[in-house]
Amino acid sequence: MEEAIVAEGLVKVFYTKERKSLFRSVKRRVEALRGVSFSVRRGEIFGLLGPNGAGKTTTIKILSTLLLPDAGEAWVNGFHVVKEASRVRECIGVSLYSDRGFYWKLTGRENLRYFAYLYQMPRREAEKRINEVLKLVGLENDADRLVEEYSTGMKSKLNFARALLHDPPILFLDEPTIGLDPASARRVRELILEMKRQGKTVLLTTHNMFEAELLCDRVAIINRGRIVAINTPSELKRRVGRNNVVEVEALNIPPSAAEALSSVRGLRRIYTRIRDPASSMGELRLIFEDGVDDLGDVLSAISRAGMKVLSVKIVEPTLEDVFIELTGEKLGES
Amino acid sequence: MERVRRLARAALGVYVKEMKIWLRYPTWIFAFIALPYMLSGLFNGIGYSIAGPRAVENFARNTGVSNPFLFYTLGTALLLATEVLLQDVAYSIRSEQLLGTFELHYLAPAPTWLIWILYLFPHSTIMVVVLLATTLPVLAFSGVLSSPIDFLYACSVLALGMLPLLGIALALAALVVRYKEPGAVVSLVQSVVILLSGYFYPLTVFPAWVSALSQVLPTTHVISILRSLLLAGEGVSPLDRRLLTLLALAVAYPVIGLYSYRRWESEARRRGELSKY
Amino acid sequence: MRLGGGASFLSTSLLKVLRELCAAAYVGVRIYLRYPMWILSDLITSPLWAVVILLPILLFLPPEAWGSGVVAQNFFWGMVLWYVVSTSLMGIGSAVRSEQQMGTLEQLLLTNANRAVLFTRRLTFELFSLTLNTAYMYVFVQLLFGKPITVENPLPVLLVLAAAMAIAVGFGLIYGTLILWIKNPGALSNILQFVIMGLSGIFYSIRGLPAPLQYISYALPFTYVADLLRHEAMGTPTLLPLHLEYLLVAALAVALNAAGYLAILHVEKRLKRTGKLGVY
């Protein structure tokens, strides 16, 4: 089978209680997934990119057998995630949290040993593999310290090591670099690329577009429980078009900047990112229909709105531009 | 004045939050209602089973009290109050540590020892309301409540007796801040306090030295006074030796508790223990 | 069978379960030993609580009967049974809660390990603790009463204790499943402990209970364990014919374990449907 993971029309609905007062609560229906379909080829790194609450973790939990779908079907390594859940668990490694899910009063090595036995690995093989994964993630010198003494980065590495413990061909990584410092995040990214070199299939979720661009062979953009696009990062960016994005760095950007520039010819979308709220300094990203006709038109509209231009660049589109183009929302907004 | 107002606001915040959490776990409320009767029933059941028809007569001869059910219901109610007071602060801190919200309390302007003590009030409110609602009918039915003044007097003694426990609770809280895992120490302190308080037996069953040792516990005096008031129908003068001792303990223990809490907390800060869990 | 990138796995399920049991026991003992204060606390608090429970019972007897050998025997075996009930509720049932709080529950359920083994992680330690506490109480009660604790039929007593532990595991699995479902049990463990102790005749025969309560007692599994243990240890008469009671205890041990195991699988599936598995 060419595909390592196949999801077809996954639907998941949660019911939550909204506490209105001490004794009154109202039941609320939350549609986490609304017909998610995609497939991941063997040996590729596939990213689920979307804002918080888009349905990324729900998808990973269904694929890793921790959650049952309300509708739709999925197969991992050729096994059905509901009907053959135990076969699925044998061939996946899952990293769900960066710093939870360990026994604090056990050392890193003892934690791994416990899970190795639960993965039913023979003793000698388990010990060998524990040493291998500890070395791979760079924890060999801290393996015999209690986990309660580990930093967030070390716990994240240990989490990664646990996912690799039984040498699974498929890895699910939920926000693998969240909360990590740049050096630790870089190390985790290197590890993910190393897994690809070893021939493993990786499904990762992220809301970090830089990470998605850097790591993923293909990306699925997910928003409000629906996949809105799937392709390679470069193909996705082609949807926005080269030379269609203008980035303006400016001062005094007003909240109504988008409205003020709406009259600019050929402008399809605009969004702002304020970097310094005190001076309202930040960037305007303008996405045009078909290239930029006249930068002068843009600049005069900007100065009419009272903004002071610091720099203007025609830039390559990013995955965030693609996301906005497809959903009309920013990555952090959903 | 502004400072007091701000502290009151913090107190209200803690009260509302803890009250909401507690009311979402109704088994505790059920426990406060049921446990005094269940434990009393258990003791009485075993007693009747092993002693037969002479059980009550023997009990009266050994304790001077003719109603063993009331004796043990009162004892269990006090035992529950002691357990809640002693363990609540320590377990609340531990729970905050596990949830990762512990350090956030240090960012608030209110002193942390006060916040931890405030954790007791919602639990105590529920406990007092439920215990009163469940034990009052039994007390009234047994005819031991001669007047509302007697009852209020008994409540005041109880409240006074709980103050020194706050001091012990703070000392236990200090241990949790410094050493984390509270269960073992709290369980040890609870069992010693409960053994020496004589909730379920007169302390005269112990050798003299054990009885002498038990005098340092506020709960020993509380149960002794309450038995005089409620079970023996004796009056207790405000100048009673037990009451004066209780008053002294109500001042000394919180001071010692606060001192040890501050000391251990500053040690924990110095060693960087606050962020560990 | 070879899986993933090449890890080999044992093929017989019995060996797998044994391996998982060993791993669980290893983790349970390691973690316990890293809390030395718990060991000290257990050693000190056990006799203290024994006194707190014993004295109220003695108050119903005339002082001259306090040193009676029958009271000492009843009390000793009552304490042993209390440990068994605690093992069930606190040791096994509440272990689920600790996995939820540590955030390890989902990680454990990502493995194919036997669910019953995962939930009885502390069983080995509890068995060790039961043995230690029984020996400790044996010495303590003899010192306290000045009377020897005698066992009429040692081998059957051991057999009943083994059955008691099997029932405790089954009951604990069912209770653990309940905790898995409702998350925070609050004071449920304490309440249940007293209900079981009161109605199962842990310290006394249920014949002394009022008739309506006896019906409930007959429905509780620990009633038969307590009754058989007292019969084999002290020679007291049994509630049902002896062979029937043994048969019933064996059937209960099997049924409760099977029910517990099925309950876990059912609740795991249910929580996977509602998405509440990782909630704590």
Side-chain angles (χ1 to χ4, degrees):
Chain A
M1 190 180 180
E2 187 59 27
E3 273 89 20
I5 302 165
V6 177
E8 282 177 5
L10 292 177
V11 173
K12 188 71 210 170
V13 177
F14 294 118
Y15 293 91
T16 61
K17 267 187 193 168
E18 280 187 358
R19 313 271 174 171
K20 296 291 179 190
S21 66
L22 209 53
F23 300 104
R24 202 170 74 85
S25 58
V26 177
K27 212 172 177 186
R28 199 179 137 216
R29 189 173 190 270
V30 180
E31 286 180 272
L33 295 184
R34 301 194 272 191
V36 166
S37 302
F38 64 91
S39 62
V40 182
R41 294 174 201 132
R42 279 190 195 282
E44 80 172 340
I45 301 181
F46 186 88
L48 276 175
L49 177 70
N52 293 332
K56 304 187 298 286
T57 303
T58 304
T59 307
I60 276 211
K61 284 196 171 179
I62 287 176
L63 295 173
S64 60
T65 76
L66 284 175
L67 197 61
L68 292 169
D70 294 331
E73 293 188 282
W75 293 264
V76 174
N77 211 22
F79 301 117
H80 194 276
V81 294
V82 178
K83 293 172 194 152
E84 296 167 293
S86 62
R87 303 299 300 274
V88 171
R89 284 193 285 266
E90 283 170 357
C91 50
I92 58 170
V94 185
S95 165
L96 283 177
Y97 311 105
S98 55
D99 67 344
R100 267 177 65 79
F102 296 107
Y103 299 97
W104 310 319
K105 284 286 175 191
L106 293 183
T107 65
R109 186 189 301 280
E110 286 166 347
N111 265 285
L112 292 181
R113 192 176 287 147
Y114 179 45
F115 281 95
Y117 288 153
L118 294 186
Y119 277 109
Q120 299 157 354
M121 295 169 74
R123 190 165 163 249
R124 202 167 293 166
E125 189 180 325
E127 293 302 324
K128 185 169 161 262
R129 185 67 188 154
I130 287 167
N131 284 330
E132 277 172 20
V133 292
L134 282 169
K135 197 172 171 198
L136 185 73
V137 300
L139 274 181
E140 67 269 43
N141 294 328
D142 298 298
D144 297 312
R145 283 170 62 191
L146 294 185
V147 166
E148 67 183 7
E149 293 168 6
Y150 276 23
S151 66
T152 308
M154 288 158 79
K155 282 180 199 154
S156 182
K157 285 177 186 170
L158 189 63
N159 206 356
F160 204 91
R162 178 169 54 195
L164 298 173
L165 201 54
H166 54 302
D167 203 7
I170 297 168
L171 286 172
F172 293 129
L173 309 174
D174 190 15
E175 306 275 5
T177 58
I178 200 162
L180 295 183
D181 62 71
S184 303
R186 192 165 53 242
R187 178 70 192 132
V188 169
R189 286 184 199 119
E190 282 167 9
L191 284 170
I192 295 170
L193 290 171
E194 171 62 27
M195 292 306 107
K196 180 182 161 64
R197 277 193 287 277
Q198 288 183 14
K200 293 187 191 300
T201 308
V202 180
L203 171 64
L204 65 89
T205 71
T206 182
H207 60 257
N208 181 335
M209 54 170 181
F210 162 74
E211 192 163 278
E213 282 192 61
L214 185 79
L215 296 175
C216 299
D217 298 309
R218 286 191 309 140
V219 170
I221 293 181
I222 184 167
N223 190 39
R224 297 177 191 269
R226 281 207 177 94
I227 298 232
V228 289
I230 302 178
N231 219 321
T232 60
S234 53
E235 279 301 318
L236 284 170
K237 287 191 285 188
R238 198 170 294 168
R239 281 183 171 223
V240 177
R242 287 188 69 145
N243 304 324
N244 280 357
V245 183
V246 174
E247 187 182 279
V248 180
E249 200 182 2
L251 282 172
N252 307 326
I253 301 176
S256 56
E259 213 174 290
L261 300 180
S262 58
S263 60
V264 174
R265 216 160 0 105
L267 185 64
R268 199 159 63 199
R269 283 190 195 282
I270 175 169
Y271 67 96
T272 56
R273 196 185 289 128
I274 300 293
R275 294 201 188 283
D276 176 22
S279 59
S280 296
M281 194 272 270
E283 294 155 14
L284 298 164
R285 271 182 99 83
L286 300 104
I287 303 173
F288 286 86
E289 287 287 355
D290 192 15
V292 192
D293 284 347
D294 185 4
L295 264 180
D297 187 21
V298 175
L299 292 174
S300 52
I302 290 174
S303 21
R304 270 201 306 277
M307 291 176 260
K308 189 176 170 193
V309 175
L310 300 175
S311 69
V312 182
K313 286 181 276 190
I314 295 177
V315 292
E316 279 281 307
T318 63
L319 284 178
E320 185 162 23
D321 296 325
V322 179
F323 185 83
I324 289 164
E325 176 69 13
L326 292 168
T327 66
E329 294 169 19
K330 279 196 252 179
L331 261 174
E333 266 178 358
S334 188
Chain B
M1 197 58 201
E2 178 55 27
R3 188 172 153 75
V4 174
R5 209 173 296 143
R6 280 203 304 225
L7 282 179
R9 231 174 279 143
L12 186 69
V14 173
Y15 193 88
V16 171
K17 169 218 162 205
E18 282 298 300
M19 197 64 141
K20 278 187 174 173
I21 293 175
W22 261 64
L23 287 176
R24 282 172 193 165
Y25 294 118
T27 51
W28 275 111
I29 298 169
F30 179 70
F32 288 142
I33 296 171
L35 278 180
Y37 298 118
M38 284 166 73
L39 196 57
S40 184
L42 182 67
F43 285 146
N44 278 274
I46 302 172
Y48 284 110
S49 172
I50 60 168
R54 293 176 69 89
V56 179
E57 191 186 320
N58 292 332
F59 185 85
R61 203 145 51 96
N62 288 326
T63 61
V65 175
S66 57
N67 188 339
F69 189 75
L70 196 57
F71 184 90
Y72 289 127
T73 306
L74 186 67
T76 314
L78 281 171
L79 178 139
L80 276 178
T82 309
E83 288 219 335
V84 167
L85 281 170
L86 286 179
Q87 73 181 35
D88 247 25
V89 178
Y91 281 123
S92 297
I93 293 179
R94 185 67 188 143
S95 154
E96 300 286 349
Q97 285 172 337
L98 294 181
L99 291 172
T101 45
F102 175 68
E103 263 189 307
L104 299 178
H105 289 79
Y106 284 83
L107 301 174
T112 46
W113 65 267
L114 187 64
I115 295 178
W116 305 138
I117 287 293
L118 286 171
Y119 268 91
L120 279 171
F121 287 89
H123 308 185
S124 307
T125 313
I126 297 170
M127 185 180 70
V128 167
V129 169
V130 173
L131 284 180
L132 284 180
T134 50
T135 51
L136 260 181
V138 182
L139 290 171
F141 185 71
S142 313
V144 293
L145 281 178
S146 50
S147 72
I149 295 171
D150 274 357
F151 176 68
L152 284 178
Y153 192 34
C155 287
S156 313
V157 170
L158 188 61
L160 186 65
M162 295 299 123
L163 273 179
L165 292 183
L166 287 186
I168 302 177
L170 260 182
L172 290 173
L175 287 176
V176 184
V177 170
R178 175 76 180 81
Y179 292 113
K180 324 301 170 206
E181 186 50 46
V185 183
V186 170
S187 146
L188 191 64
V189 172
Q190 274 176 335
S191 56
V192 171
V193 170
I194 286 161
L195 175 84
L196 296 182
S197 299
Y199 288 147
F200 298 136
Y201 37 79
L203 287 169
T204 45
V205 297
F206 289 129
W209 67 269
V210 180
S211 296
L213 192 68
S214 70
Q215 300 303 304
V216 300
L217 291 177
T219 41
T220 307
H221 305 291
V222 173
I223 189 80
S224 168
I225 296 170
L226 290 183
R227 272 188 197 136
S228 299
L229 278 172
L230 300 175
L231 300 181
E234 298 164 2
V236 176
S237 149
L239 292 176
D240 187 286
R241 183 187 54 80
R242 294 169 297 179
L243 211 51
L244 293 176
T245 314
L246 201 54
L247 203 61
L249 294 177
V251 175
Y253 277 35
V255 171
I256 296 169
L258 188 57
Y259 173 76
S260 42
Y261 177 82
R262 285 186 162 165
R263 221 189 127 157
W264 286 74
E265 186 192 58
S266 96
E267 181 71 7
R269 272 179 197 242
R270 200 171 60 76
R271 290 170 181 260
E273 296 280 348
L274 291 186
S275 54
K276 287 189 189 165
Y277 58 90
Chain C
M1 183 170 68
R2 286 185 69 81
L3 290 157
S8 67
F9 288 76
L10 291 170
S11 54
T12 64
S13 55
L14 185 65
L15 268 177
K16 279 180 187 173
V17 171
L18 275 176
R19 187 178 292 282
E20 287 158 13
L21 268 174
C22 288
Y26 166 84
V27 167
V29 172
R30 269 290 161 101
I31 293 176
Y32 182 74
L33 292 178
R34 292 210 171 123
Y35 289 107
M37 196 55 204
W38 267 118
I39 303 170
L40 185 69
S41 168
D42 281 354
L43 284 175
I44 299 172
T45 56
S46 294
L48 296 189
W49 278 108
V51 171
V52 171
I53 291 165
L54 174 66
L55 281 173
I57 299 167
L58 292 181
L59 289 177
F60 287 97
L61 293 168
E64 54 275 15
W66 286 15
S68 145
V70 177
V71 175
Q73 295 266 6
N74 255 316
F75 180 69
F76 170 72
W77 291 111
M79 287 306 287
V80 172
L81 286 163
W82 186 15
Y83 291 135
V84 172
V85 175
S86 296
T87 298
S88 183
L89 296 175
M90 310 292 189
I92 296 167
S94 300
V96 176
R97 183 75 192 136
S98 117
E99 302 289 2
Q100 283 172 336
Q101 286 178 318
M102 304 275 277
T104 42
L105 189 68
E106 282 191 324
Q107 295 295 339
L108 293 174
L109 295 181
L110 275 171
T111 70
N112 276 333
N114 185 296
R115 273 34 183 165
V117 172
L118 291 179
F119 285 6
T120 50
R121 177 163 69 82
R122 292 171 59 170
L123 183 61
T124 322
F125 161 70
E126 293 293 341
L127 279 172
F128 170 72
S129 178
L130 175 72
T131 314
L132 197 71
N133 272 316
T134 304
Y136 193 39
M137 206 43 65
Y138 183 76
V139 175
F140 180 74
V141 172
Q142 293 199 83
L143 285 176
L144 200 69
F145 285 87
K147 293 275 189 308
I149 300 292
T150 53
V151 183
E152 287 209 356
N153 306 309
L155 275 178
V157 162
L158 283 177
L159 183 71
V160 176
L161 278 176
M165 279 312 284
I167 284 180
V169 171
F171 195 82
L173 282 176
I174 294 172
Y175 182 59
T177 309
L178 182 72
I179 293 181
L180 181 67
W181 188 15
I182 62 170
K183 313 295 174 196
N184 192 336
L188 196 63
S189 304
N190 306 52
I191 296 169
L192 263 179
Q193 197 169 2
F194 283 114
V195 169
I196 292 170
M197 281 206 298
L199 295 178
S200 289
I202 298 295
F203 285 93
Y204 55 91
S205 169
I206 61 158
R207 287 200 177 93
L209 285 173
L213 288 180
Q214 281 192 32
Y215 291 120
I216 306 173
S217 301
Y218 278 111
L220 295 173
F222 290 107
T223 302
Y224 305 102
V225 169
D227 192 51
L228 269 182
L229 190 65
R230 265 194 301 271
H231 169 77
E232 299 297 3
M234 298 162 60
T236 55
T238 51
L239 293 166
L240 305 174
L242 188 62
H243 291 92
L244 186 64
E245 206 159 290
Y246 265 112
L247 203 66
L248 189 61
V249 164
L252 279 170
V254 174
L256 284 171
N257 278 282
Y261 184 65
L262 292 174
I264 293 174
L265 295 184
H266 174 73
V267 170
E268 182 185 339
K269 197 171 173 185
R270 197 184 158 88
L271 291 175
K272 281 180 175 177
R273 202 167 283 290
T274 57
K276 297 269 169 70
L277 196 64
V279 178
Y280 66 98

